[in-house]
């Protein structure tokens, strides 16, 4: 007797042949395989949760960096005002302005985002290095207050979406954890019953 390979939580794909097994051994093998598969699925789900948490943290870094730049605009700034026209870009140390840009662009690159700013924002240099001026899709002195506000809104939407998915991940994680614990409890009880049964037979003999 052979089983068809399946991938569900209750499958026994790792067991290919029950021939030669007594009933108790076969049932034990099935339950053991189910417990092992649930353990593997649980580990995979844990990895997925950790990956999502890391992604959310990186998005929060982008949001924090963008908020810091947005705060550089004066209270009466117009949506069309460019970064290069405000204090900190226009008349402060050039290196300070570039460091702000590099901080934002490095966070964008680390989060692997390509839609924070839809284009280069400049007809000049185009770079793939977030610490160089003209970083593709990144922050530079030609970005306007409206550009930055739109980018902040976009990042907040991404964080909200990731948060919703994170809740689903946690529910699935809890479900798999419960099933794994249940499978191991069943297996433990089964082993105990087998031992008790054999002990009883030996005593009678």
């Amino acid at each position: 007797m052979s089983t068809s390979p399946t991938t569900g939580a209750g499958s026994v794909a790792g067991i290919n042949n029950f021939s030669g097994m007594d009933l108790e051994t076969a049932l034990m093998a099935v339950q053991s395989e189910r417990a092992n598969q649930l353990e593997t699925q649980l580990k995979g789900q844990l990895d997925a949760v950790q990956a999502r948490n890391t992604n959310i943290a990186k998005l929060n870094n982008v949001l924090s960096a963008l908020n810091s730049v947005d705060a550089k605009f004066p209270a009466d700034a117009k949506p069309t005002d460019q970064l290069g026209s405000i204090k900190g870009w226009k008349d402060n140390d050039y290196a300070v302005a570039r460091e702000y840009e590099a901080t934002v662009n490095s966070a964008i690159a680390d989060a692997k985002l390509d839609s924070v700013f839809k284009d280069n924002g400049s007809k000049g240099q185009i770079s793939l290095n977030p610490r160089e001026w003209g970083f593709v899709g990144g922050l530079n002195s030609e970005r306007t207050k409206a550009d930055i506000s739109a980018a902040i809104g976009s990042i907040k939407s991404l964080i909200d979406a990731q948060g919703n998915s994170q809740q689903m991940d946690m529910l699935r994680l809890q479900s798999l954890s419960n099933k794994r614990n249940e499978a191991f409890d069943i297996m433990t009880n089964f082993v105990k019953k087998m031992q008790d049964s054999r002990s009883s037979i030996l005593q009678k003999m």
Side-chain angles (χ1 to χ4, degrees):
M1 175 181 176
S2 61
T3 58
S4 301
T6 56
T7 57
S11 67
V12 288
I15 305 174
N16 295 317
N17 201 318
F18 291 110
S19 61
M21 294 185 184
D22 58 41
L23 181 59
E24 286 185 342
T25 303
L27 289 173
M28 184 64 183
V30 169
Q31 193 58 40
S32 177
E33 179 64 18
R34 179 173 182 270
N36 289 336
Q37 289 186 15
L38 284 166
E39 183 77 16
T40 300
Q41 290 183 21
L42 182 61
K43 183 180 182 304
Q45 188 63 25
L46 278 170
D47 291 342
V49 168
Q50 290 172 353
R52 196 176 299 281
N53 287 342
T54 299
N55 190 34
I56 291 175
K58 290 179 178 180
L59 289 173
N60 278 318
N61 288 339
V62 176
L63 181 61
S64 176
L66 286 170
N67 281 329
S68 295
V69 172
D70 188 55
K72 291 291 181 182
F73 283 97
D76 60 348
K78 299 176 182 177
T80 54
D81 286 352
Q82 293 182 332
L83 272 175
S85 67
I86 65 174
K87 184 178 178 62
W89 268 259
K90 180 176 68 174
D91 50 8
N92 272 14
D93 186 356
Y94 174 86
V96 173
R98 286 291 172 263
E99 192 57 34
Y100 268 104
E101 293 174 17
T103 298
V104 173
N105 293 338
S106 294
I108 291 172
D110 189 41
K112 294 181 172 57
L113 297 173
D114 57 6
S115 60
V116 177
F117 297 103
K118 296 186 181 304
D119 53 45
N120 187 51
S122 170
K123 296 179 181 179
Q125 174 188 1
I126 295 177
S127 173
L128 297 177
N129 184 343
R131 299 196 67 81
E132 291 181 356
W133 189 85
F135 174 64
V136 177
L139 181 74
N140 57 50
S141 61
E142 296 182 13
R143 296 297 184 192
T144 65
K145 181 171 177 59
D147 290 335
I148 295 170
S149 295
I152 289 173
S154 175
I155 294 300
K156 286 181 177 179
S157 294
L158 288 174
I159 292 173
D160 289 342
Q162 290 291 313
N164 291 335
S165 296
Q166 185 184 48
Q167 291 180 7
M168 297 302 296
D169 285 343
M170 294 305 296
L171 288 173
R172 176 168 168 74
L173 182 64
Q174 184 62 51
S175 175
L176 283 171
S177 179
N178 291 340
K179 288 179 180 179
R180 189 278 307 266
N181 292 339
E182 179 186 6
F184 277 103
D185 286 343
I186 291 173
M187 189 167 62
T188 300
N189 292 335
F190 188 75
V191 170
K192 185 177 185 302
K193 287 180 180 179
M194 287 174 61
Q195 290 175 338
D196 290 345
S197 176
R198 289 171 182 172
S199 296
S200 177
I201 293 172
L202 288 174
Q203 289 176 359
K204 290 179 180 179
M205 290 176 64

